[in-house]
Amino acid sequence: DAGVIQSPRHEVTEMGQEVTLRCKPISGHNSLFWYRQTMMRGLELLIYFNNNVPIDDSGMPEDRFSAKMPNASFSTLKIQPSEPRDSAVYFCASSLRTGGSYNEQFFGPGTRLTVL
Amino acid sequence: GENVEQHPSTLSVQEGDSAVIKCTYSDSASNYFPWYKQELGKRPQLIIDIRSNVGEKKDQRIAVTLNKTAKHFSLHITETQPEDSAVYFCAASPGAQKLVFGQGTRLTINP
């Protein structure tokens, strides 16, 4: 298996531009998570989906952020308009949810976003 | 909501010595506690986890202990090696697969 795939790996954009980050989870996994990592705030959960349905978006910083999962093999995280404080590494992770048990979350390689 | 505190933020040990990283959590409903290792520029990867019905778990040189009464859990690495140098994150799950991470510990193994 190729693991969780994210694109692009690096993105440099100017303030005010729209940014779209993409994620392909591991085939067969039914839970998908978007995280943001910064030195100041560490690793924060932004939103997660179960069976393509958003379950908890309480970590989404503001209305400029939105996430979708149109099918089991694809998700996007969009920032519009982007601001310099959005600069961070964004990770996507997936897991296989089985009943009420907890299972390992597999992280993708991340997208390093720089907003100038 | 759940809050996870992790200490120390940096740790330096001699190769072959042991390293201990400690975490506390606030939500008594949390019942799953994974530890992730992140090498520089790489993704976080699970190294060990423990569920609330277990007090200790060991996997070769790494072990995790959990004290639910005190709401703290610890990572122990014995016989440290240079490849153990990385940032380590603890996490707690208050339910529904959500993970709340600690701030991380940068571990450096000195040869």
Side-chain angles (χ1 to χ4, degrees):
Chain A
D1 197 318
V4 177
I5 299 173
Q6 290 187 247
S7 65
R9 295 292 309 276
H10 302 272
E11 177 80 27
V12 180
T13 190
E14 293 190 346
M15 181 175 63
Q17 296 298 305
E18 178 179 295
V19 175
T20 299
L21 310 182
R22 297 172 175 80
C23 175
K24 177 179 169 54
I26 292 173
S27 178
H29 281 189
N30 53 11
S31 293
L32 184 139
F33 308 82
W34 281 101
Y35 291 92
R36 178 172 67 177
Q37 186 174 39
T38 61
M39 288 296 294
M40 290 300 295
R41 300 178 66 88
L43 200 57
E44 304 173 277
L45 176 66
L46 300 178
I47 185 172
Y48 77 94
F49 297 81
N50 280 341
N51 296 317
N52 314 340
V53 177
I55 301 301
D56 186 340
D57 65 354
S58 60
M60 296 286 262
E62 45 198 278
D63 292 345
R64 297 184 298 106
F65 286 69
S66 62
K68 294 182 179 180
M69 192 165 186
N71 56 62
S73 58
F74 183 66
S75 177
T76 60
L77 178 67
K78 186 176 293 187
I79 309 172
Q80 166 64 18
S82 58
E83 297 182 3
R85 59 194 168 117
D86 301 331
S87 298
V89 179
Y90 291 81
F91 286 102
C92 175
S94 72
S95 71
L96 176 62
R97 185 183 185 206
T98 54
S101 64
Y102 297 92
N103 295 307
E104 178 179 356
Q105 291 186 20
F106 293 84
F107 282 74
T111 295
R112 182 173 296 278
L113 173 65
T114 303
V115 183
L116 303 175
Chain B
E2 174 64 278
N3 182 52
V4 178
E5 298 283 339
Q6 183 172 347
H7 300 280
S9 57
T10 61
L11 180 61
S12 182
V13 301
Q14 289 298 119
E15 183 178 351
D17 288 350
S18 295
V20 180
I21 302 170
K22 298 182 179 183
C23 290
T24 60
Y25 62 99
S26 61
D27 190 341
S28 57
S30 289
N31 53 12
Y32 174 64
F33 308 91
W35 286 86
Y36 282 80
K37 175 183 180 182
Q38 186 177 27
E39 297 177 356
L40 187 62
K42 300 291 181 63
R43 72 194 76 187
Q45 292 188 293
L46 181 73
I47 56 170
I48 194 167
D49 57 14
I50 191 167
R51 287 160 172 77
S52 60
N53 58 345
V54 176
E56 184 174 358
K57 183 177 179 180
K58 189 174 181 180
D59 183 3
Q60 299 183 340
R61 296 186 298 109
I62 61 173
V64 58
T65 59
L66 171 65
N67 183 327
K68 285 219 74 179
T69 302
K71 296 203 198 84
H72 65 71
F73 55 114
S74 302
L75 177 71
H76 304 253
I77 306 174
T78 59
E79 301 171 22
T80 54
Q81 302 169 2
E83 54 264 37
D84 294 330
S85 293
V87 178
Y88 291 80
F89 293 93
C90 63
S93 180
Q97 305 230 311
K98 187 172 182 175
L99 288 181
V100 177
F101 284 85
Q103 286 295 94
T105 296
R106 182 174 301 278
L107 175 63
T108 302
I109 308 300
N110 301 308

